[in-house]
């Protein structure tokens, strides 16, 4: 009897519903860096392969970003008008609708989420 119960339990576990996992999806990016962004790129945290995002929002503008990825943590790099880059590390793109890229007067970078 024990020989039959173990395989049945294993099969039941395999077909049991799995809760939906979080994943990154479409979002709105707000540019609060104080300068125009010439180009946006994104990569998963811990990787080196940057991928271009469509759009280059001017200072204060919003940009709809079509995006889908099973991961949550990303780095976003903004090539700033006039030269230089701003890299926002560890951006959580799961369960958010708006990501605001901020840059303070002394160059400090942070992200706000809605």
């Amino acid at each position: 009897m024990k020989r039959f119960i173990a395989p049945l339990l294993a099969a039941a576990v395999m077909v049991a519903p799995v809760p939906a996992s979080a994943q990154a999806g479409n979002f709105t990016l707000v540019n609060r860096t104080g300068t125009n962004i010439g180009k946006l790129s994104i990569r998963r945290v811990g990787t080196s392969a940057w991928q271009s995002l469509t759009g280059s929002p001017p200072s204060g503008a919003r940009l709809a970003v079509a995006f889908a990825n099973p991961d949550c943590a990303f780095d976003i790099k903004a090539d700033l008008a006039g030269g230089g880059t701003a890299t926002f590390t560890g951006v959580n793109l799961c369960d958010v609708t708006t990501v605001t890229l901020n840059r303070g007067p002394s160059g400090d970078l942070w992200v706000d989420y809605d």
Side-chain angles (χ1 to χ4, degrees):
M1 183 75 165
K2 288 182 183 179
R3 291 185 297 184
F4 297 108
I5 293 175
L8 286 175
L9 286 174
V13 168
M14 290 176 57
V15 296
V18 176
S21 60
Q23 67 177 12
N26 297 344
F27 62 96
T28 299
L29 184 134
V30 181
N31 176 6
R32 298 257 190 243
T33 63
T35 188
N36 295 342
I37 293 176
K39 179 182 174 187
L40 285 166
S41 303
I42 193 167
R43 70 178 177 193
R44 284 192 339 237
V45 167
T47 66
S48 60
W50 289 98
Q51 298 176 343
S52 292
L53 292 174
T54 303
S56 52
S59 180
R62 302 170 74 84
L63 172 70
V65 178
F67 189 73
N69 194 290
D71 292 322
C72 290
F74 294 87
D75 297 331
I76 297 176
K77 179 171 60 172
D79 292 342
L80 304 175
T85 61
T87 303
F88 301 84
T89 58
V91 178
N92 181 355
L93 293 181
C94 286
D95 301 322
V96 298
T97 56
T98 304
V99 174
T100 303
L101 305 180
N102 299 283
R103 185 175 66 152
S106 62
D108 49 322
L109 303 172
W110 73 96
V111 176
D112 291 324
Y113 303 96
D114 291 326

